[in-house]
């Protein structure tokens, strides 16, 4: 199953590359940081901070709304600004006590990936993933309605996409959240009145746990959280998603 593979795959990459170490160089900041690869000093590999956090890094695989591996995702690993990674570790400790685990779908996202999303959204001929990700919204409305943007907080390193999974016997299954991840529809709004019962309870649990550690939810996406204050509030980085980007 993809979730189990995400846990094992991320740790396997770290086993091969995570021992490189290195202090890094001063981090680039400001809008110009998006012009090319920049140093990732001040970032952490989340699996090194807390290996119990699940990872299913969708954009490093074809299982995402573009239907292909996204530019800049060299490895299926979650990178975050260190302050955000440490806060996520604290949130994980809390959900583990309740019999759940966090599962991240995306963390730091290079600007080149954001650019790829925009090109995809403007390609009206490519409708391969419509049934799964945007069945009720016309593709030419994805940018005007804010589902796809030319800049993303993910590129600043303190934003992640995350859900909860159960830790009972057998396979680790994501909890019912009312919609899948990256579902472009008002139903994905965190407080959608159409989401009730256990799905609403799960959304509230996720928001309560992460909110208690300083993460702020984006109301339009139940899975989207930003740690505040951001370590790099004025930066849009473009270094690739890989362990080597952190361990230089």
């Amino acid at each position: 199953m993809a979730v189990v593979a995400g846990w094992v795959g991320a740790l396997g990459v770290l086993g091969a590359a995570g021992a490189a170490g290195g202090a890094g160089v001063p981090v680039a900041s400001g809008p110009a940081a998006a012009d090319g690869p920049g140093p990732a000093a001040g970032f952490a590999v989340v699996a090194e901070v807390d290996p119990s956090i699940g990872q299913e890094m969708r954009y490093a695989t074809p299982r995402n709304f573009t239907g292909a591996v996204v530019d800049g995702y060299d490895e299926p690993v979650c990178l975050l600004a260190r302050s955000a990674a440490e806060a996520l570790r604290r949130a994980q400790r809390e959900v583990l006590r309740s019999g759940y685990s966090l599962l991240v779908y995306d963390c730091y996202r290079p600007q080149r990936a954001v650019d790829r999303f925009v090109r995809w959204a403007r390609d009206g001929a490519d409708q391969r993933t419509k049934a799964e990700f945007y069945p009720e919204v016309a593709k030419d409305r994805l940018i005007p309605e804010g589902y796809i943007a030319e800049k993303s907080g993910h590129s600043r390193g303190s934003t992640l996409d995350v859900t909860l999974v159960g830790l009972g016997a057998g396979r680790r299954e994501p909890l019912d959240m009312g919609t899948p991840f990256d579902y472009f529809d008002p139903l994905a709004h965190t407080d959608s009145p159409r989401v009730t019962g256990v799905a609403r309870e799960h959304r509230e649990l996720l928001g309560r746990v992460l909110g208690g550690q300083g993460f702020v939810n984006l109301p339009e996406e139940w899975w989207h959280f930003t740690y505040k204050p951001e370590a790099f509030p004025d930066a849009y980085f473009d270094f690739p998603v890989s362990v080597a980007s952190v361990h230089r």
Side-chain angles (χ1 to χ4, degrees):
M1 179 185 173
V3 174
V4 175
W7 256 277
V8 176
L11 296 178
V13 170
L14 293 173
V25 295
V27 70
S29 64
D35 294 339
F43 278 70
V45 179
V46 166
E48 295 177 346
V49 175
D50 189 334
S52 74
I53 296 172
Q55 297 188 33
E56 187 180 346
M57 305 301 292
R58 291 287 184 86
Y59 303 136
T61 78
R63 191 187 175 192
N64 64 74
F65 59 83
T66 73
V69 175
V70 177
D71 305 32
Y73 285 83
D74 292 2
E75 295 174 352
V77 294
C78 171
L79 310 180
L80 285 174
R82 180 161 292 280
S83 57
E86 294 289 348
L88 193 66
R89 177 181 59 83
R90 295 192 295 270
Q92 173 72 344
R93 287 179 175 177
E94 183 173 346
V95 297
L96 286 174
R97 288 195 293 268
S98 299
Y100 303 110
S101 175
L102 297 172
L103 171 68
V104 293
Y105 290 124
D106 192 37
C107 300
Y108 159 72
R109 180 185 306 165
Q111 181 62 41
R112 71 191 76 177
V114 178
D115 296 342
R116 173 70 183 101
F117 292 170
V118 172
R119 293 196 302 273
W120 170 85
R122 290 174 174 162
D123 181 3
D126 183 356
Q127 299 283 337
R128 292 174 296 162
T129 65
K130 180 174 178 59
E132 181 176 0
F133 293 101
Y134 55 105
E136 304 298 329
V137 180
K139 191 176 186 184
D140 62 6
R141 299 303 304 165
L142 294 179
I143 292 178
E145 295 185 15
Y147 294 106
I148 302 292
E150 294 185 354
K151 295 289 185 181
S152 171
H154 282 274
S155 301
R156 298 196 295 266
S158 294
T159 295
L160 71 155
D161 297 328
V162 60
T163 191
L164 292 167
V165 299
L167 293 180
R171 304 193 318 186
R172 297 179 172 185
E173 296 284 357
L175 300 186
D176 177 10
M177 292 291 186
T179 76
F181 164 62
D182 264 355
Y183 192 73
F184 301 146
D185 189 274
L187 191 63
H189 292 185
T190 306
D191 291 329
S192 170
R194 297 160 56 198
V195 177
T196 60
V198 295
R200 176 165 289 277
E201 291 175 6
H202 293 157
R203 289 187 184 189
E204 291 174 351
L205 173 60
L206 181 64
R208 185 167 61 252
V209 170
L210 290 174
Q213 299 301 332
F215 289 92
V216 178
N217 176 245
L218 178 69
E220 291 77 16
E221 297 176 348
W222 61 259
W223 55 81
H224 180 117
F225 291 84
T226 299
Y227 180 71
K228 299 293 184 70
E230 294 187 60
F232 308 110
D234 301 315
Y236 291 92
F237 297 107
D238 194 39
F239 57 84
V241 177
S242 69
V243 173
S245 292
V246 175
H247 292 301
R248 285 183 167 180

